[in-house]
Amino acid sequence: MTTTPTDPTPPTANSLQPSLPYSGPRPINRKSHSDWTTKRVPLNAIAAARRDFGGLDIVVANAGVVHLTPAWEIDDDEWNAIVGVNLTGVFNTLRSAARAFIDQGRGGSVICTGSTCSRRAQLGLSAYTASKHGVLGLVRSFALELAPHGIRVNLVEPGNTDTPMIHHDGLYRRVRPDLEQVTRDDVAAGFQTMNALATPWVQPVDVSSAVVWLASDAARYVTGIELPVDAGHLIT
């Protein structure tokens, strides 16, 4: 499992525990405050996983940082920070995972976290949208090139998810500019209008469940796909 410190709600080890009786190795949640935009960090993390578990089978590249800024007001630092984490960090992880899987010669599965912004632009999110479009391109390219090695690469695309990434004053005020003090309850109806299903946002477990399925043998012939977990946001 690879996460970045800028990801507000990385899946926990407990959330990935199997529900059936299981006596094998358990996932370990390693919190890292390293710079995943450098190639050294994912290389070291993957080497440690191979050492600790005797091999590598699944890698999840889960990274997300976002700022609400009009496209023409984005400065170089903001652009580099968003693209660095969301795209370069994912590329570094994919590259390191691919090399490890090929070296092992027994296949593997990589799941990247995209977004509905991998396919649809949103106001004020041009850097984020560009980075998540880029992740979609990486997934398609790596899936195609790694298929002969039996390595699967897929993308999960969360919509608005019940985490601090959407629950903050800046986004609340965008949804309800008419209110001085905006609460979670005040914005729920506005978020609901973005989705086809009757919910304002999905839960983190909805996303992690999709990741677990993509990593499992149930999806053994699934590669190069985009799996939205968005309550129907993309079809509205």
Side-chain angles (χ1 to χ4, degrees), residues 65-87:
V65 59
V66 62
H67 297 131
L68 289 167
T69 309
W72 58 92
E73 293 183 3
I74 297 172
D75 60 26
D76 290 349
D77 288 341
E78 182 175 332
W79 174 268
N80 291 334
I82 293 173
V83 174
V85 171
N86 295 359
L87 184 58

Side-chain angles (χ1 to χ4, degrees), residues 33-135:
H33 296 280
S34 302
D35 183 1
W36 286 82
T37 65
T38 66
K39 62 182 180 181
R40 175 184 55 83
V41 173
L43 277 172
N44 290 344
I46 286 172
R50 295 180 70 180
R51 180 189 66 239
D52 293 348
F53 296 115
L56 188 70
D57 299 295
I58 301 161
V59 170
V60 179
N62 179 45
V65 59
V66 62
H67 297 131
L68 289 167
T69 309
W72 58 92
E73 293 183 3
I74 297 172
D75 60 26
D76 290 349
D77 288 341
E78 182 175 332
W79 174 268
N80 291 334
I82 293 173
V83 174
V85 171
N86 295 359
L87 184 58
T88 304
V90 171
F91 168 70
N92 288 335
T93 303
L94 275 166
R95 178 173 56 183
S96 299
R99 291 172 177 173
F101 285 143
I102 291 170
D103 180 61
Q104 292 178 160
R106 66 188 198 196
S109 176
V110 183
I111 302 95
C112 297
T113 303
S115 165
T116 52
C117 286
S118 294
R119 289 198 262 171
R120 174 183 288 183
Q122 298 283 357
L123 290 172
L125 297 178
S126 57
Y128 180 79
T129 298
S131 69
K132 291 300 184 178
H133 271 65
V135 173

Side-chain angles (χ1 to χ4, degrees), residues 122-177:
Q122 298 283 357
L123 290 172
L125 297 178
S126 57
Y128 180 79
T129 298
S131 69
K132 291 300 184 178
H133 271 65
V135 173
L136 172 57
L138 284 177
V139 165
R140 288 174 170 171
S141 298
F142 272 85
L144 184 63
E145 294 188 27
L146 294 177
H149 300 278
I151 301 165
R152 302 185 296 108
V153 186
N154 291 292
L155 186 71
V156 62
E157 295 175 333
N160 288 319
T161 306
D162 192 9
T163 74
M165 187 168 275
I166 67 167
H167 292 298
H168 58 85
D169 189 61
L171 190 54
Y172 279 11
R173 290 184 179 279
R174 173 167 291 199
V175 177
R176 291 299 306 269

Side-chain angles (χ1 to χ4, degrees), residues 81 117 180 206:
C117 286
E180 182 71 23
D206 299 315

Side-chain angles (χ1 to χ4, degrees), residues 136-228:
L136 172 57
L138 284 177
V139 165
R140 288 174 170 171
S141 298
F142 272 85
L144 184 63
E145 294 188 27
L146 294 177
H149 300 278
I151 301 165
R152 302 185 296 108
V153 186
N154 291 292
L155 186 71
V156 62
E157 295 175 333
N160 288 319
T161 306
D162 192 9
T163 74
M165 187 168 275
I166 67 167
H167 292 298
H168 58 85
D169 189 61
L171 190 54
Y172 279 11
R173 290 184 179 279
R174 173 167 291 199
V175 177
R176 291 299 306 269
D178 56 309
L179 298 178
E180 182 71 23
Q181 298 292 329
V182 190
T183 68
R184 176 189 176 100
D185 290 340
D186 293 327
V187 300
F191 277 101
Q192 167 68 76
T193 64
M194 304 178 193
N195 299 333
L197 294 176
T199 183
W201 36 69
V202 302
Q203 295 300 316
V205 69
D206 299 315
V207 181
S208 61
S209 294
V211 170
V212 169
W213 178 75
L214 286 170
S216 73
D217 287 343
R220 61 181 178 165
Y221 294 128
V222 177
T223 194
I225 73 159
E226 310 143 49
L227 179 56

Side-chain angles (χ1 to χ4, degrees), residues 1 3 9-17 27-31 62 204 208:
M1 175 69 66
T3 62
T9 53
T12 65
N14 289 336
S15 73
L16 297 180
Q17 299 294 341
I28 295 175
N29 186 34
R30 300 177 184 274
K31 291 185 178 180
N62 179 45
S208 61

